[in-house]
Amino acid sequence: MSGEGPARKTPTAVKGTHDILPGEVEIWQAVEAETKRLFELYGYRELRTPILEHTELFEKGTGQSTDIVTKEMYTFADKGGRSITLRPEYTPSVARAIVEHRLDLHGTPLRYYYIGPMFRYDKPQKGRYRQFHQIDVEVFAEKDAAIDAEIVEMADALLRALGVAETETLVNSVGCRACRPAFSQALRGHAAGVRDKLCDDCRRKMETNPLRIFDCKVESCREQVRGFPKISAFLCAECREHFDSFRRGLDLFGLKYRVDESLVRGLDYYTKTTFEIVTASGGQQNAVLGGGRYDDMMKDFGGPDICGIGFAMGLERLIALLDLKPAPRRFLYVAHAGEAAKAKAVELARFFRRGGVETLIEFGGRSFKNQFGRANKLGAAWVLVVGEDEAAKGVYQLKDMAAGTQISGTPDELIKGARS
Ligand code: HAM
């Protein structure tokens, strides 16, 4: 066993996380660019928050009875002994930022978007990851249900712009602190009557948050849920009017939707409007985006009494629906041979890049033949030939790889060709 250690294990990505490699990353970039373009047309601005937050933020914001807080957070004590969490969602973070900076006093529209990673320790499967990415949108201080409709329209517009078809928009109202307790009480009573037919999890939810029984995927529970009381019978006048007005707004946009009274969503903060856009093709993880109104979060944070509404779209789920191919890149390959030519080639690469031409130069003393082979394999649009002679004269050959033609000239003359 001379010199042989134990078998070496190569490093791998953490379970439930993914590398996004060149080839795929261009699609992410295109989606991100379209998202920014479109959201800014609606008057939204980007607001970036840290990935790390105090654990308490999500306990208070996302809610103590949610799966996220009870089971899924990446929480650890930092070296100072503080309890820190990798954000599982963005909504409480942006609410915190507003309270912390009193952005409500700045006189700017409180409309924000953000694109970034979120972390949930859930069982990884298709469409569900431990590090995933959300496109998130939040609006504050708009009580009118017209904004609820506009936000759904904006989500829909993004999906259309990206070519996503065959989605269904589900909407509901989960009431407010005034009317929901009576509904929860009625649900509790009903659930108690069929207790034996519910799964352990739902029996627990019966006590903590009976609305969440509507989320259960267990078939026997789903069957029971069909006979449960409906929220629509419990909405107070204000919530009912808000919901009607939201629906009128959707009609005004000509958006199709379905009222789904079991759409309660897995977060504690929702009041009034909830919505999801789902696809037929996503299997169990068929929600591309979900959101709703949360009128009490800021107040509960000890901030101003301003309402909020937003949604988050899962980027992995969105990208899985897209049929986008990255546009082929047009770039220049600088081939060079000899020491003097190398120095000149480096200078020329810089010249072309400054002129806005994507330029690749490789090192390692390869022959011209070899470098042409590389340029061909990599898909270069042009090759600039920099030999000792050319370097001395300051006149170079630019080969158009697709046409097989070649022109010669000074860098100033050739850059026009490489921009075409
Ligand atoms: P959410 O329903 O928990 O809502 O997540 C929104 C979307 O993020 C889901 O519809 C899904 O597309 C994606 N998603 C969630 N978890 C995962 C996962 N483990 N792997 C992959 N994708 C996932 C929220 O996060 C709320 N903050 C939305 C919101 C914003 N409500 C108001 N404002």
Side-chain angles (χ1 to χ4, degrees):
M1 289 289 289
S2 61
E4 267 187 48
R8 245 190 290 161
K9 211 167 150 244
T10 53
T12 56
V14 170
K15 189 175 173 190
T17 73
H18 295 281
D19 300 309
I20 305 165
L21 303 178
E24 196 191 351
V25 87
E26 290 79 0
I27 294 172
W28 285 67
Q29 288 168 343
V31 170
E32 287 163 8
E34 180 58 18
T35 302
K36 290 179 183 185
R37 186 194 71 79
L38 192 98
F39 288 178
E40 302 213 350
L41 283 180
Y42 283 75
Y44 288 73
R45 295 290 175 266
E46 188 173 2
L47 192 163
R48 300 185 188 190
T49 62
I51 286 171
L52 303 180
E53 296 277 6
H54 294 292
T55 303
E56 198 189 271
L57 179 75
F58 303 109
E59 289 171 347
K60 257 195 180 161
T62 310
Q64 296 280 11
S65 81
T66 59
D67 284 351
I68 292 180
V69 169
T70 54
K71 303 186 215 160
E72 297 172 1
M73 293 208 297
Y74 279 90
T75 295
F76 59 95
D78 72 5
K79 292 192 195 306
R82 300 169 203 89
S83 182
I84 300 292
T85 292
L86 302 186
R87 60 172 180 217
E89 59 152 341
Y90 171 74
T91 313
S93 299
V94 68
R96 172 199 54 69
I98 289 169
V99 175
E100 194 165 341
H101 304 287
R102 287 308 305 262
L103 294 178
D104 54 308
L105 303 179
H106 286 202
T108 47
L110 300 172
R111 298 187 181 205
Y112 306 103
Y113 72 87
Y114 177 65
I115 306 173
M118 309 291 153
F119 305 83
R120 296 184 193 175
Y121 192 83
D122 203 348
K123 200 163 163 230
Q125 51 185 279
K126 188 170 173 282
R128 187 188 289 170
Y129 311 104
R130 290 184 174 167
Q131 174 172 335
F132 60 100
H133 298 77
Q134 285 185 338
I135 295 173
D136 193 287
V137 165
E138 311 290 349
V139 177
F140 298 90
E142 287 277 20
K143 281 202 172 77
D144 196 312
I147 195 72
D148 305 32
E150 189 189 84
I151 230 175
V152 173
E153 194 271 331
M154 186 169 85
D156 184 77
L158 179 60
L159 294 175
R160 301 295 146 243
L162 294 171
V164 179
E166 314 215 356
T167 55
E168 188 178 21
T169 302
L170 309 175
V171 302
N172 192 23
S173 172
V174 291
C176 65
R177 284 183 180 169
C179 55
R180 200 181 315 137
F183 179 53
S184 298
Q185 200 46 42
L187 282 180
R188 222 173 253 130
H190 210 90
V194 295
R195 196 172 198 283
D196 295 349
K197 300 195 175 97
L198 298 176
C199 70
D200 289 349
D201 210 23
C202 283
R203 284 186 205 158
R204 226 181 354 262
K205 288 176 190 167
M206 235 170 79
E207 310 304 329
T208 54
N209 188 351
L211 262 77
R212 300 286 324 285
I213 300 177
F214 284 106
D215 274 345
C216 187
K217 301 270 187 282
V218 176
E219 196 40 55
S220 52
C221 297
R222 290 173 80 102
E223 213 168 283
Q224 292 309 315
V225 156
R226 281 182 210 122
F228 276 25
K230 301 277 182 283
I231 180 84
S232 52
F234 290 81
L235 294 180
C236 61
E238 190 187 320
C239 286
R240 184 183 312 281
E241 167 47 29
H242 190 93
F243 192 47
D244 290 346
S245 164
F246 168 47
R247 293 178 60 182
R248 284 195 297 274
L250 295 175
D251 292 340
L252 210 63
F253 285 121
L255 291 173
K256 290 203 172 51
Y257 61 88
R258 179 161 66 83
V259 176
D260 177 355
E261 293 210 45
S262 65
L263 186 70
V264 292
R265 311 234 335 109
L267 302 140
D268 281 356
Y269 47 69
Y270 290 117
T271 50
K272 296 182 175 152
T273 309
T274 53
F275 57 90
E276 277 187 0
I277 298 186
V278 300
T279 56
S281 56
Q284 285 250 310
Q285 317 304 323
N286 68 346
V288 196
L289 69 92
R293 185 166 271 280
Y294 50 97
D295 290 350
D296 302 316
M297 190 189 289
M298 302 284 250
K299 198 171 45 194
D300 291 348
F301 282 174
D305 183 7
I306 55 177
C307 55
I309 176 164
F311 71 81
M313 190 179 297
L315 257 170
E316 284 78 3
R317 291 189 197 175
L318 172 66
I319 284 169
L321 298 171
L322 304 181
D323 191 20
L324 289 183
K325 300 266 171 303
R329 308 187 80 108
R330 289 181 68 72
F331 69 92
L332 169 74
Y333 188 99
V334 180
H336 55 99
E339 267 318 294
K342 176 179 165 187
K344 196 71 204 169
V346 167
E347 201 182 291
L348 283 166
R350 196 172 182 216
F351 169 81
F352 277 87
R353 288 169 184 151
R354 286 188 170 173
V357 178
E358 181 177 329
T359 303
L360 178 67
I361 175 166
E362 294 186 304
F363 305 101
R366 294 183 175 98
S367 67
F368 273 126
K369 187 165 174 249
N370 194 307
Q371 289 179 78
F372 265 96
R374 288 275 305 156
N376 204 13
K377 196 165 153 213
L378 298 173
W382 309 275
V383 175
L384 182 74
V385 183
V386 187
E388 302 283 342
D389 267 8
E390 285 89 348
K393 290 190 192 129
V395 174
Y396 305 88
Q397 307 293 318
L398 181 73
K399 181 167 182 185
D400 182 321
M401 296 295 277
T405 52
Q406 198 155 308
I407 51 172
S408 74
T410 63
D412 279 323
E413 287 160 352
L414 295 181
I415 198 165
K416 292 186 198 93
R419 281 200 192 115
S420 62

